[in-house]
Amino acid sequence: QVHLVESGGGLVQAGGSLRLSCAASGSIFRFNYMAWYRQAPGKERELVAGIFSGGSPNYADSVKGRFTISRDSAKNTLYLQMNSLKPEDTALYYCHAYVSATVPYWGQGTQVTVSS
């Protein structure tokens, strides 16, 4: 069974930075795809950033140039470095991964709140 556990969320002022971590149970080498999604109150869950194994990352237009996704296979961890945070980045951030797209895995989420 796969477990994804997010951490690193919190309250930060606009312009500040946070780094989210997603620790996976077992090796992340098996995941063909890992990503961060977010969901703000009253809105649908949206893709923030994703990365295929051995591939280049892709980002939502709203976070390009500010967020960086990376994966550390030695630590079995996915990261999301978030800089120049804006109030509109406030959301519950979820870690997502799959070996096969038909069997997705999700973490429980970590809250990010950006004050103006």
Side-chain angles (χ1 to χ4, degrees):
Q1 191 170 358
V2 174
H3 294 283
L4 302 175
V5 180
E6 303 98 333
S7 62
L11 174 63
V12 64
Q13 288 188 332
S17 298
L18 285 174
R19 188 177 79 157
L20 305 184
S21 299
C22 171
S25 58
S27 173
I28 65 172
F29 274 117
R30 56 187 159 157
F31 296 127
N32 289 318
Y33 183 72
M34 300 188 77
W36 289 96
Y37 281 73
R38 67 185 180 188
Q39 187 167 19
K43 295 187 177 182
E44 293 187 353
R45 190 174 297 190
E46 63 174 357
L47 175 67
V48 176
I51 184 167
F52 284 95
S53 177
S56 299
N58 62 288
Y59 298 94
D61 288 343
S62 59
V63 306
K64 280 181 182 176
R66 300 188 298 122
F67 291 11
T68 302
I69 188 172
S70 61
R71 50 194 288 176
D72 186 335
S73 297
K75 296 183 178 180
N76 296 324
T77 301
L78 180 73
Y79 299 101
L80 184 68
Q81 178 66 45
M82 307 186 295
N83 299 327
S84 302
L85 283 161
K86 303 175 181 180
E88 50 264 44
D89 294 318
T90 295
L92 190 60
Y93 283 71
Y94 295 92
C95 179
H96 166 72
Y98 66 72
V99 176
S100 165
T102 58
V103 185
Y105 299 103
W106 293 92
Q108 82 290 347
T110 185
Q111 179 67 39
V112 172
T113 303
V114 184
S115 63
S116 57

